Amino acid sequence: MKVRGRSVVVASAGAAVIAGGAWAAIAASSDSTNSVNACILPARNVIVAATAKGHCPEGATRVTINKRGPRGPSGPPGAPGLPGEPPAVIDGGAP
C-alpha cells in the first residue's frame, strides 16, 4: 500500500513537470509576441508544442492561441455602499 501511494505521488509530480515543460515549449514556439503556435492531437485530446517552424505531428491540427484577448466591455456600476460614520465633532468647549 505504501509503495502504491508513493508511485501515485511520483507519477503526479512527473506529470506536472512534463505539463510545465510543454507549456514552456508552446510559449517558445510563438511566431509573434501576441500569440503562440500549438498542435491539437484530436485522437487523444492533447495539446502539444509546434516545432520552431510551426509544424505539427502527423494527424495534428495547428492552432494559434492569443496570449491575451481583447479587452471586454465595462461592467455595470456596483450597488451603493453602506453609509459611513458621521463626522466627528470636536468640542472646543462652550463659553
Side-chain angles (χ1 to χ4, degrees):
M1 191 83 159
K2 238 182 190 180
V3 172
R4 185 174 191 178
R6 187 176 298 156
S7 296
V8 170
V9 170
V10 170
S12 297
V17 168
I18 291 169
W23 180 249
I26 289 171
S29 69
S30 65
D31 58 3
S32 73
T33 59
N34 296 325
S35 62
V36 294
N37 296 320
C39 306
I40 298 177
L41 297 170
R44 298 187 320 203
N45 264 350
V46 175
I47 297 176
V48 297
T51 66
K53 293 184 179 182
H55 299 292
C56 291
E58 187 175 330
T61 302
R62 179 177 176 231
V63 294
T64 301
I65 303 169
N66 290 335
K67 290 182 182 178
R68 183 175 184 159
R71 183 176 182 161
S74 296
L82 297 174
E85 291 288 322
V89 176
I90 301 175
D91 188 8

Coordinates of all heavy atoms in Angstrom, one line a residue:
M1 N 0.8 -1.2 0.0 CA 0.0 0.0 0.0 C 0.9 1.3 0.0 O 0.6 2.2 -0.7 CB -0.9 0.0 1.2 CG -2.0 1.0 1.2 SD -3.3 0.4 0.1 CE -4.6 1.3 0.7
K2 N 1.9 1.3 0.8 CA 2.8 2.4 0.8 C 3.5 2.7 -0.5 O 3.6 3.8 -1.0 CB 3.9 2.1 1.9 CG 4.0 3.2 3.0 CD 5.1 2.8 3.8 CE 5.1 3.6 5.1 NZ 6.1 3.4 6.0
V3 N 3.9 1.6 -1.2 CA 4.6 1.7 -2.4 C 3.6 2.3 -3.5 O 4.0 3.2 -4.3 CB 5.1 0.4 -2.9 CG1 5.7 0.5 -4.3 CG2 6.2 -0.1 -1.9
R4 N 2.4 1.9 -3.5 CA 1.4 2.4 -4.4 C 1.2 3.9 -4.2 O 1.1 4.6 -5.2 CB 0.1 1.6 -4.3 CG -0.9 2.0 -5.4 CD -2.1 1.1 -5.3 NE -2.9 1.4 -6.5 CZ -4.0 0.8 -6.8 NH1 -4.4 -0.2 -6.0 NH2 -4.7 1.0 -7.9
G5 N 1.0 4.3 -3.0 CA 0.8 5.7 -2.7 C 2.0 6.6 -3.2 O 1.8 7.6 -3.8
R6 N 3.2 6.1 -2.9 CA 4.4 6.8 -3.4 C 4.4 6.8 -4.9 O 4.8 7.9 -5.4 CB 5.6 6.1 -2.8 CG 6.9 6.9 -3.0 CD 8.1 6.3 -2.4 NE 7.9 6.2 -1.0 CZ 8.5 5.4 -0.2 NH1 9.4 4.5 -0.7 NH2 8.3 5.4 1.1
S7 N 4.0 5.8 -5.5 CA 4.1 5.8 -7.0 C 3.1 6.8 -7.6 O 3.4 7.5 -8.6 CB 3.7 4.4 -7.5 OG 4.6 3.4 -7.1
V8 N 2.0 7.0 -7.0 CA 1.0 8.0 -7.4 C 1.6 9.4 -7.3 O 1.4 10.2 -8.1 CB -0.4 7.8 -6.7 CG1 -1.3 9.0 -6.9 CG2 -1.0 6.5 -7.0
V9 N 2.2 9.6 -6.1 CA 2.8 10.9 -5.9 C 3.9 11.2 -6.9 O 4.0 12.3 -7.5 CB 3.4 11.0 -4.5 CG1 4.2 12.3 -4.3 CG2 2.2 11.0 -3.5
V10 N 4.8 10.2 -7.2 CA 5.9 10.4 -8.1 C 5.3 10.6 -9.5 O 5.8 11.5 -10.3 CB 6.8 9.2 -8.1 CG1 7.8 9.2 -9.2 CG2 7.5 9.1 -6.8
A11 N 4.3 9.8 -9.9 CA 3.7 10.0 -11.2 C 3.0 11.4 -11.4 O 3.1 12.0 -12.4 CB 2.6 8.9 -11.5
S12 N 2.4 11.8 -10.3 CA 1.7 13.2 -10.4 C 2.8 14.3 -10.5 O 2.6 15.2 -11.3 CB 0.9 13.4 -9.1 OG -0.1 12.5 -9.0
A13 N 3.9 14.1 -9.8 CA 4.9 15.1 -9.9 C 5.5 15.1 -11.3 O 5.8 16.2 -11.8 CB 6.0 14.9 -8.8
G14 N 5.7 13.9 -11.8 CA 6.3 13.8 -13.2 C 5.4 14.4 -14.2 O 5.8 15.1 -15.1
A15 N 4.1 14.2 -14.0 CA 3.1 14.8 -15.0 C 3.1 16.3 -14.9 O 3.0 17.0 -15.9 CB 1.7 14.3 -14.7
A16 N 3.3 16.9 -13.7 CA 3.3 18.3 -13.5 C 4.6 18.9 -14.2 O 4.5 19.9 -14.9 CB 3.3 18.7 -12.0
V17 N 5.7 18.2 -14.1 CA 6.9 18.7 -14.7 C 6.8 18.6 -16.2 O 7.2 19.6 -16.9 CB 8.1 17.8 -14.2 CG1 9.3 18.1 -15.1 CG2 8.4 18.1 -12.8
I18 N 6.2 17.6 -16.7 CA 6.0 17.5 -18.2 C 5.1 18.5 -18.7 O 5.3 19.2 -19.7 CB 5.5 16.0 -18.6 CG1 6.6 15.0 -18.3 CG2 5.0 16.0 -20.0 CD1 6.2 13.6 -18.4
A19 N 4.0 18.8 -18.0 CA 3.0 19.8 -18.4 C 3.7 21.2 -18.4 O 3.4 22.0 -19.3 CB 1.8 19.8 -17.5
G20 N 4.5 21.5 -17.4 CA 5.2 22.7 -17.4 C 6.1 22.9 -18.5 O 6.2 23.9 -19.2
G21 N 6.8 21.8 -18.8 CA 7.7 21.8 -20.0 C 7.0 22.0 -21.3 O 7.5 22.7 -22.2
A22 N 5.9 21.4 -21.4 CA 5.1 21.5 -22.6 C 4.6 23.0 -22.8 O 4.7 23.5 -23.9 CB 3.9 20.6 -22.6
W23 N 4.2 23.6 -21.7 CA 3.7 25.0 -21.8 C 4.9 25.9 -22.2 O 4.8 26.8 -23.0 CB 3.1 25.5 -20.5 CG 2.7 26.9 -20.6 CD1 3.2 28.0 -20.0 CD2 1.7 27.4 -21.5 NE1 2.6 29.1 -20.4 CE2 1.6 28.8 -21.3 CE3 0.8 26.8 -22.4 CZ2 0.8 29.6 -22.0 CZ3 -0.1 27.7 -23.1 CH2 -0.1 29.0 -22.9
A24 N 6.1 25.6 -21.6 CA 7.3 26.4 -22.0 C 7.6 26.2 -23.4 O 8.0 27.2 -24.1 CB 8.4 26.0 -21.1
A25 N 7.5 25.0 -23.9 CA 7.8 24.8 -25.4 C 6.8 25.5 -26.3 O 7.1 26.0 -27.3 CB 7.8 23.3 -25.6
I26 N 5.5 25.5 -25.9 CA 4.5 26.2 -26.6 C 4.8 27.7 -26.7 O 4.7 28.3 -27.7 CB 3.1 25.9 -26.1 CG1 2.7 24.4 -26.4 CG2 2.0 26.8 -26.7 CD1 1.4 24.0 -25.7
A27 N 5.1 28.2 -25.5 CA 5.4 29.6 -25.4 C 6.6 30.0 -26.3 O 6.7 31.0 -26.9 CB 5.6 30.1 -24.0
A28 N 7.6 29.1 -26.3 CA 8.8 29.4 -27.0 C 8.6 29.3 -28.5 O 9.4 29.8 -29.3 CB 9.9 28.4 -26.6
S29 N 7.5 28.6 -29.0 CA 7.3 28.4 -30.4 C 6.4 29.5 -31.0 O 5.8 29.4 -32.0 CB 6.6 27.1 -30.7 OG 5.3 27.1 -30.1
S30 N 6.3 30.7 -30.3 CA 5.4 31.7 -30.7 C 6.0 32.4 -32.0 O 7.2 32.5 -32.1 CB 5.2 32.8 -29.6 OG 6.5 33.4 -29.3
D31 N 5.1 32.8 -32.9 CA 5.5 33.5 -34.1 C 5.4 35.0 -33.9 O 5.8 35.7 -34.8 CB 4.7 33.0 -35.3 CG 3.2 33.2 -35.1 OD1 2.8 33.8 -34.1 OD2 2.5 32.8 -36.0
S32 N 4.9 35.5 -32.8 CA 4.9 36.9 -32.5 C 4.8 37.0 -31.0 O 4.7 36.1 -30.3 CB 3.7 37.6 -33.2 OG 2.5 37.2 -32.6
T33 N 4.8 38.3 -30.6 CA 4.7 38.5 -29.1 C 3.3 38.3 -28.6 O 3.1 38.3 -27.4 CB 5.3 39.8 -28.8 OG1 4.5 40.8 -29.5 CG2 6.7 40.0 -29.1
N34 N 2.3 38.3 -29.5 CA 0.9 38.2 -29.1 C 0.3 36.8 -29.2 O -0.9 36.7 -28.8 CB 0.1 39.2 -29.9 CG 0.5 40.6 -29.7 OD1 0.9 41.0 -28.6 ND2 0.5 41.4 -30.7
S35 N 0.9 35.8 -29.8 CA 0.3 34.5 -29.9 C 1.4 33.4 -29.9 O 2.5 33.7 -30.0 CB -0.4 34.5 -31.3 OG 0.5 34.6 -32.3
V36 N 0.9 32.2 -29.6 CA 1.7 31.0 -29.6 C 1.1 30.0 -30.6 O -0.1 30.0 -30.8 CB 1.9 30.4 -28.2 CG1 2.6 31.3 -27.3 CG2 0.5 30.1 -27.6
N37 N 2.0 29.1 -31.1 CA 1.6 28.1 -32.0 C 1.5 26.8 -31.2 O 2.4 26.5 -30.4 CB 2.5 27.9 -33.2 CG 2.6 29.1 -34.1 OD1 1.5 29.7 -34.3 ND2 3.7 29.5 -34.5
A38 N 0.5 26.0 -31.4 CA 0.3 24.7 -30.7 C -0.3 23.8 -31.7 O -0.8 24.1 -32.8 CB -0.5 24.9 -29.5
C39 N -0.3 22.5 -31.3 CA -0.9 21.4 -32.2 C -1.9 20.7 -31.3 O -1.6 20.3 -30.2 CB 0.2 20.5 -32.7 SG 1.5 21.3 -33.6
I40 N -3.1 20.4 -31.9 CA -4.1 19.6 -31.1 C -4.1 18.2 -31.7 O -4.2 18.0 -33.0 CB -5.4 20.2 -31.2 CG1 -5.4 21.6 -30.6 CG2 -6.5 19.3 -30.6 CD1 -6.7 22.4 -30.7
L41 N -3.9 17.2 -30.9 CA -4.0 15.8 -31.3 C -5.4 15.3 -31.0 O -5.7 15.0 -29.8 CB -3.0 14.9 -30.6 CG -1.5 15.3 -30.8 CD1 -0.6 14.5 -29.9 CD2 -1.1 15.0 -32.3
P42 N -6.3 15.3 -31.9 CA -7.7 15.0 -31.6 C -8.0 13.6 -31.1 O -8.9 13.4 -30.4 CB -8.5 15.3 -33.0 CG -7.4 15.2 -34.0 CD -6.1 15.6 -33.3
A43 N -7.2 12.7 -31.5 CA -7.4 11.3 -31.1 C -7.2 11.2 -29.6 O -7.9 10.3 -28.9 CB -6.4 10.4 -31.8
R44 N -6.4 12.0 -29.0 CA -6.1 11.9 -27.5 C -6.5 13.2 -26.8 O -6.3 13.3 -25.6 CB -4.6 11.7 -27.3 CG -4.2 10.3 -27.9 CD -2.8 10.0 -27.5 NE -1.9 11.1 -27.5 CZ -0.6 11.0 -27.6 NH1 0.0 9.8 -27.8 NH2 0.2 12.1 -27.6
N45 N -7.1 14.2 -27.5 CA -7.5 15.5 -26.8 C -6.3 16.1 -26.1 O -6.4 16.4 -24.9 CB -8.6 15.3 -25.9 CG -9.9 15.6 -26.5 OD1 -10.0 16.2 -27.6 ND2 -11.0 15.3 -25.9
V46 N -5.2 16.2 -26.8 CA -3.9 16.7 -26.2 C -3.4 17.8 -27.0 O -3.5 17.8 -28.2 CB -2.9 15.5 -26.2 CG1 -1.5 16.1 -25.6 CG2 -3.3 14.4 -25.3
I47 N -2.9 18.8 -26.3 CA -2.2 20.0 -27.0 C -0.7 19.8 -26.8 O -0.2 19.5 -25.7 CB -2.6 21.3 -26.3 CG1 -4.1 21.5 -26.5 CG2 -1.8 22.5 -27.0 CD1 -4.7 22.8 -25.9
V48 N 0.0 19.9 -27.9 CA 1.5 19.8 -27.9 C 2.1 21.0 -28.6 O 1.4 21.7 -29.3 CB 2.0 18.4 -28.6 CG1 1.5 17.2 -27.8 CG2 1.5 18.4 -30.0
A49 N 3.3 21.2 -28.4 CA 4.0 22.4 -29.0 C 4.3 22.1 -30.5 O 4.6 21.0 -30.9 CB 5.3 22.6 -28.3
A50 N 4.1 23.2 -31.2 CA 4.5 23.1 -32.6 C 6.0 23.3 -32.7 O 6.6 23.8 -31.7 CB 3.8 24.2 -33.4
T51 N 6.6 22.8 -33.8 CA 8.1 23.0 -33.9 C 8.4 24.5 -34.1 O 7.5 25.3 -34.3 CB 8.6 22.2 -35.1 OG1 8.1 22.8 -36.3 CG2 8.3 20.7 -35.0
A52 N 9.7 24.8 -34.1 CA 10.1 26.2 -34.2 C 9.6 26.8 -35.6 O 9.3 28.0 -35.7 CB 11.6 26.3 -34.1
K53 N 9.4 25.9 -36.6 CA 9.0 26.4 -37.9 C 7.4 26.3 -38.0 O 6.9 26.5 -39.0 CB 9.6 25.5 -39.0 CG 11.1 25.7 -39.1 CD 11.6 24.9 -40.2 CE 13.1 25.2 -40.4 NZ 13.7 24.5 -41.5
G54 N 6.8 25.9 -36.9 CA 5.3 25.9 -36.9 C 4.7 24.6 -37.4 O 3.5 24.6 -37.7
H55 N 5.5 23.5 -37.5 CA 5.0 22.3 -38.0 C 4.4 21.4 -36.8 O 4.8 21.5 -35.7 CB 6.1 21.5 -38.7 CG 6.6 22.2 -39.9 ND1 5.9 22.4 -41.0 CD2 7.8 22.7 -40.1 CE1 6.6 23.0 -41.9 NE2 7.8 23.2 -41.4
C56 N 3.4 20.6 -37.2 CA 2.8 19.7 -36.2 C 3.0 18.3 -36.5 O 3.2 18.0 -37.7 CB 1.3 20.0 -36.1 SG 0.8 21.6 -35.5
P57 N 2.9 17.4 -35.6 CA 3.0 15.9 -35.9 C 1.8 15.5 -36.8 O 0.8 16.2 -36.9 CB 2.8 15.3 -34.5 CG 3.0 16.3 -33.5 CD 2.7 17.6 -34.1
E58 N 2.0 14.4 -37.5 CA 1.0 13.9 -38.4 C -0.3 13.6 -37.7 O -0.3 13.1 -36.6 CB 1.5 12.6 -39.0 CG 0.6 12.1 -40.2 CD 1.2 10.9 -40.9 OE1 2.4 10.7 -40.9 OE2 0.4 10.1 -41.3
G59 N -1.4 14.1 -38.3 CA -2.7 13.9 -37.6 C -3.1 15.0 -36.7 O -4.2 15.0 -36.2
A60 N -2.2 15.9 -36.4 CA -2.5 17.0 -35.5 C -2.9 18.3 -36.3 O -2.6 18.4 -37.5 CB -1.3 17.3 -34.6
T61 N -3.7 19.1 -35.7 CA -4.1 20.4 -36.3 C -3.4 21.5 -35.6 O -3.4 21.6 -34.4 CB -5.6 20.5 -36.0 OG1 -6.3 19.4 -36.6 CG2 -6.1 21.8 -36.7
R62 N -2.8 22.4 -36.4 CA -2.1 23.6 -35.9 C -3.1 24.6 -35.5 O -4.0 24.9 -36.3 CB -1.1 24.1 -36.9 CG -0.4 25.3 -36.4 CD 0.7 25.8 -37.4 NE 1.3 27.0 -36.9 CZ 1.4 28.1 -37.6 NH1 1.0 28.1 -38.8 NH2 2.0 29.2 -37.1
V63 N -2.9 25.2 -34.4 CA -3.8 26.3 -33.9 C -2.9 27.5 -33.4 O -1.7 27.2 -33.0 CB -4.8 25.9 -32.8 CG1 -5.8 25.0 -33.3 CG2 -4.0 25.4 -31.6
T64 N -3.3 28.7 -33.5 CA -2.6 29.8 -33.0 C -3.5 30.3 -31.9 O -4.7 30.6 -32.0 CB -2.5 30.9 -34.1 OG1 -1.7 30.3 -35.2 CG2 -1.7 32.1 -33.5
I65 N -2.9 30.5 -30.7 CA -3.6 30.9 -29.5 C -3.1 32.3 -29.1 O -1.9 32.5 -28.9 CB -3.4 29.9 -28.4 CG1 -3.8 28.5 -28.8 CG2 -4.1 30.3 -27.1 CD1 -3.3 27.4 -27.9
N66 N -4.0 33.2 -28.9 CA -3.7 34.5 -28.4 C -3.2 34.4 -26.9 O -3.8 33.7 -26.1 CB -4.9 35.5 -28.5 CG -5.2 35.9 -29.9 OD1 -4.4 35.8 -30.8 ND2 -6.4 36.2 -30.1
K67 N -2.2 35.1 -26.6 CA -1.7 35.2 -25.2 C -2.7 36.0 -24.4 O -2.9 35.7 -23.2 CB -0.3 35.7 -25.1 CG 0.8 34.8 -25.7 CD 2.1 35.4 -25.5 CE 3.2 34.6 -26.0 NZ 4.5 35.2 -25.9
R68 N -3.2 37.1 -25.0 CA -4.1 37.9 -24.3 C -5.2 38.4 -25.3 O -4.9 38.9 -26.4 CB -3.4 39.1 -23.7 CG -4.2 40.0 -22.9 CD -3.4 41.1 -22.3 NE -4.3 41.9 -21.5 CZ -3.9 42.7 -20.5 NH1 -2.6 42.8 -20.3 NH2 -4.7 43.4 -19.8
G69 N -6.4 38.2 -24.9 CA -7.5 38.6 -25.8 C -7.8 40.1 -25.7 O -7.2 40.8 -24.9
P70 N -8.8 40.5 -26.5 CA -9.1 41.9 -26.5 C -9.9 42.3 -25.2 O -10.5 41.4 -24.5 CB -10.1 42.1 -27.7 CG -10.6 40.7 -27.9 CD -9.5 39.8 -27.5
R71 N -9.8 43.5 -24.8 CA -10.4 44.0 -23.5 C -11.9 43.9 -23.7 O -12.5 44.3 -24.7 CB -10.0 45.4 -23.2 CG -10.6 45.9 -21.9 CD -10.1 47.2 -21.5 NE -10.6 47.6 -20.3 CZ -10.1 48.5 -19.5 NH1 -9.0 49.2 -19.9 NH2 -10.7 48.8 -18.3
G72 N -12.6 43.4 -22.7 CA -14.1 43.3 -22.8 C -14.7 44.6 -22.4 O -14.1 45.5 -21.9
P73 N -16.0 44.7 -22.5 CA -16.7 45.9 -22.1 C -16.8 46.1 -20.6 O -16.7 45.1 -19.9 CB -18.2 45.7 -22.7 CG -18.3 44.2 -22.8 CD -16.9 43.7 -23.1
S74 N -16.9 47.3 -20.2 CA -17.0 47.6 -18.7 C -18.3 47.0 -18.2 O -19.3 47.0 -18.9 CB -17.0 49.1 -18.5 OG -15.7 49.6 -18.9
G75 N -18.3 46.6 -17.0 CA -19.5 46.0 -16.4 C -20.4 47.1 -15.8 O -20.0 48.3 -15.8
P76 N -21.6 46.8 -15.4 CA -22.5 47.8 -14.8 C -21.9 48.3 -13.5 O -21.1 47.6 -12.8 CB -23.8 47.0 -14.6 CG -23.3 45.6 -14.4 CD -22.1 45.4 -15.3
P77 N -22.4 49.5 -13.1 CA -21.9 50.1 -11.8 C -22.4 49.2 -10.7 O -23.4 48.6 -10.7 CB -22.6 51.4 -11.8 CG -23.4 51.6 -13.0 CD -23.3 50.4 -13.8
G78 N -21.6 49.2 -9.6 CA -21.9 48.4 -8.4 C -23.0 49.1 -7.6 O -23.4 50.2 -7.8
A79 N -23.5 48.3 -6.7 CA -24.5 48.8 -5.7 C -23.9 49.9 -4.8 O -22.7 49.8 -4.5 CB -25.1 47.7 -4.9
P80 N -24.7 50.8 -4.4 CA -24.1 51.8 -3.4 C -23.7 51.2 -2.1 O -24.3 50.2 -1.7 CB -25.3 52.8 -3.2 CG -26.5 52.3 -4.0 CD -26.1 51.0 -4.7
G81 N -22.7 51.7 -1.6 CA -22.1 51.2 -0.3 C -23.0 51.6 0.9 O -23.9 52.5 0.8
L82 N -22.7 51.1 2.0 CA -23.3 51.4 3.3 C -22.9 52.8 3.7 O -21.8 53.2 3.4 CB -23.0 50.4 4.4 CG -23.5 49.0 4.1 CD1 -23.0 48.0 5.2 CD2 -25.0 48.9 4.0
P83 N -23.8 53.5 4.4 CA -23.3 54.9 4.9 C -22.2 54.7 5.9 O -22.2 53.8 6.7 CB -24.6 55.4 5.5 CG -25.5 54.3 5.8 CD -25.1 53.2 4.8
G84 N -21.3 55.7 5.9 CA -20.2 55.7 6.8 C -20.6 56.3 8.2 O -21.8 56.8 8.4
E85 N -19.7 56.4 9.1 CA -19.9 57.1 10.3 C -20.1 58.6 10.1 O -19.4 59.1 9.3 CB -18.7 56.8 11.3 CG -18.6 55.3 11.7 CD -19.7 54.9 12.7 OE1 -20.0 55.8 13.6 OE2 -20.2 53.8 12.6
P86 N -20.9 59.2 10.9 CA -20.9 60.7 10.8 C -19.6 61.3 11.2 O -18.8 60.7 12.0 CB -22.1 61.1 11.8 CG -22.2 59.9 12.7 CD -21.7 58.7 12.0
P87 N -19.3 62.5 10.7 CA -18.0 63.1 11.0 C -18.0 63.4 12.5 O -18.9 63.6 13.2 CB -18.1 64.4 10.2 CG -19.5 64.6 9.8 CD -20.2 63.3 9.8
A88 N -16.7 63.3 13.0 CA -16.5 63.5 14.4 C -16.7 65.0 14.7 O -16.2 65.8 13.9 CB -15.1 63.0 14.8
V89 N -17.3 65.3 15.8 CA -17.5 66.7 16.2 C -16.4 67.0 17.3 O -16.4 66.3 18.4 CB -18.9 67.0 16.7 CG1 -19.0 68.4 17.3 CG2 -19.9 66.7 15.7
I90 N -15.6 67.9 17.1 CA -14.6 68.3 18.1 C -15.1 69.4 18.9 O -15.5 70.5 18.4 CB -13.3 68.7 17.4 CG1 -12.8 67.5 16.6 CG2 -12.2 69.1 18.5 CD1 -11.5 67.8 15.8
D91 N -15.3 69.1 20.2 CA -15.8 70.1 21.1 C -14.7 71.0 21.6 O -13.8 70.6 22.3 CB -16.5 69.4 22.3 CG -17.3 70.3 23.2 OD1 -17.4 71.5 22.8 OD2 -17.7 69.9 24.2
G92 N -14.8 72.2 21.1 CA -13.7 73.2 21.5 C -14.1 73.8 22.9 O -13.4 74.7 23.3
G93 N -15.1 73.4 23.5 CA -15.5 74.0 24.8 C -16.5 75.1 24.6 O -16.2 76.0 23.8
A94 N -17.6 75.1 25.2 CA -18.6 76.1 25.1 C -18.3 77.2 26.1 O -17.8 77.0 27.2 CB -20.0 75.5 25.4
P95 N -18.6 78.5 25.7 CA -18.3 79.6 26.6 C -19.2 79.6 27.9 O -20.2 79.1 28.0 CB -18.5 80.9 25.8 CG -19.1 80.5 24.5 CD -19.0 79.0 24.5

